[in-house]
């Protein structure tokens, strides 16, 4: 019975999110508290609060040249939400959804040589702060971070992932590869 209630709630959120979604194809999402994405829901909360994992997977799919709706990705991640989605998605389960979409990835604890990666990290002290998940692309000029801040629609440039995490160990790093992707 509980599963059915959760499923119906997820389906209701999916229909609502689908009716709101109006992003341009192949456009990365930045600033989860801005625009349409801020009104979409994940679990009990608006994505402006807890949608970073869904957005990171969406941005990774754009990088791979795949067209998937954010509402579809969020629905798949609903299985892994933590405490009704208040704490977002379990970052150690993102790989399951990447695999469902056929993405070539590997999980590691270091992004040093990765061209593209999803990284989940504590924004402050471990267990006393929030978790944030972003998609990054390494280029010659540094690491380009998508959705680094929820109230900014720009891509941020940093020198390394350590700068992003404050030299703390990340929770999860998914290296995304285009090599074997169809």
């Amino acid at each position: 019975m509980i599963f059915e209630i959760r499923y119906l709630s997820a389906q209701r959120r999916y229909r609502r999110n689908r009716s709101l979604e109006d992003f341009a194809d192949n456009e990365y999402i930045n600033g989860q508290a801005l625009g349409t994405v801020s009104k979409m829901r994940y679990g009990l909360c608006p994505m402006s609060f807890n949608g970073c994992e869904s957005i990171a997977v969406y941005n990774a799919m754009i990088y791979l040249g795949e067209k998937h709706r954010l509402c579809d990705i969020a629905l798949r991640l609903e299985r892994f939400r933590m405490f009704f989605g208040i704490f977002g998605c379990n970052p150690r389960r993102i790989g399951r959804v990447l695999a469902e979409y056929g993405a070539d990835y590997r999980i590691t604890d270091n992004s040093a040589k990765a061209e593209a990666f999803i990284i989940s990290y504590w924004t402050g002290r471990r267990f006393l702060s929030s978790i944030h998940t972003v998609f990054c692309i390494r280029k010659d000029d540094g690491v380009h971070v998508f959705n680094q801040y929820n109230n900014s629609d720009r891509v941020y440039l940093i020198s390394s992932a350590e700068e992003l995490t404050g030299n703390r160990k990340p929770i999860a790093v998914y290296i995304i590869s285009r090599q074997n992707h169809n």
Side-chain angles (χ1 to χ4, degrees):
M1 183 68 170
I2 291 173
F3 175 75
E4 292 173 351
I5 292 169
R6 273 196 232 163
Y7 178 76
L8 291 175
S9 297
Q11 287 298 315
R12 194 173 309 123
R13 280 188 294 280
Y14 173 76
R15 285 191 302 275
R16 181 180 187 280
N17 289 346
R18 189 173 173 103
S19 72
L20 290 171
E21 191 167 328
D22 64 353
F23 315 129
D25 287 342
N26 297 326
E27 185 176 302
Y28 290 104
I29 296 174
N30 285 297
Q32 68 191 60
L34 305 173
T36 303
V37 72
S38 69
K39 296 171 185 73
M40 297 173 77
R41 297 194 71 80
Y42 180 79
L44 296 178
C45 303
M47 280 201 196
S48 60
F49 180 72
N50 66 354
C52 59
E53 291 89 4
S54 299
I55 292 167
V57 172
Y58 175 88
N59 286 341
M61 292 295 104
I62 296 295
Y63 169 79
L64 292 172
E66 296 282 330
K67 294 180 182 177
H68 296 287
R69 295 179 67 130
L70 178 61
C71 60
D72 294 331
I73 292 168
L75 180 64
R76 287 180 184 227
L77 284 169
E78 283 270 353
R79 298 177 304 214
F80 310 117
R81 67 180 190 232
M82 297 188 308
F83 195 62
F84 305 105
I86 292 171
F87 297 122
C89 167
N90 183 339
R92 303 292 289 176
R93 299 293 181 255
I94 292 171
R96 291 186 182 184
V97 173
L98 290 170
E100 287 178 22
Y101 284 119
D104 185 16
Y105 76 94
R106 68 182 173 88
I107 191 166
T108 183
D109 59 356
N110 188 332
S111 64
K113 303 228 189 266
E115 179 181 323
F117 56 96
I118 293 173
I119 184 168
S120 296
Y121 59 94
W122 294 99
T123 59
R125 293 188 62 185
R126 190 177 184 161
F127 299 112
L128 298 175
S129 65
S130 60
I131 292 173
H132 193 44
T133 302
V134 295
F135 174 70
C136 303
I137 300 174
R138 186 180 315 277
K139 295 185 179 179
D140 292 337
D141 59 347
V143 178
H144 295 240
V145 183
F146 297 85
N147 195 39
Q148 184 171 356
Y149 299 105
N150 72 350
N151 59 354
S152 176
D153 64 355
R154 62 179 269 234
V155 177
Y156 284 82
L157 179 64
I158 59 174
S159 60
S160 68
E162 289 74 26
E163 183 180 333
L164 184 67
T165 64
N167 289 320
R168 292 179 295 276
K169 183 179 179 195
I171 298 166
V173 178
Y174 295 89
I175 296 176
I176 311 294
S177 175
R178 284 183 171 164
Q179 286 182 334
N180 297 328
H181 194 74
N182 23 354

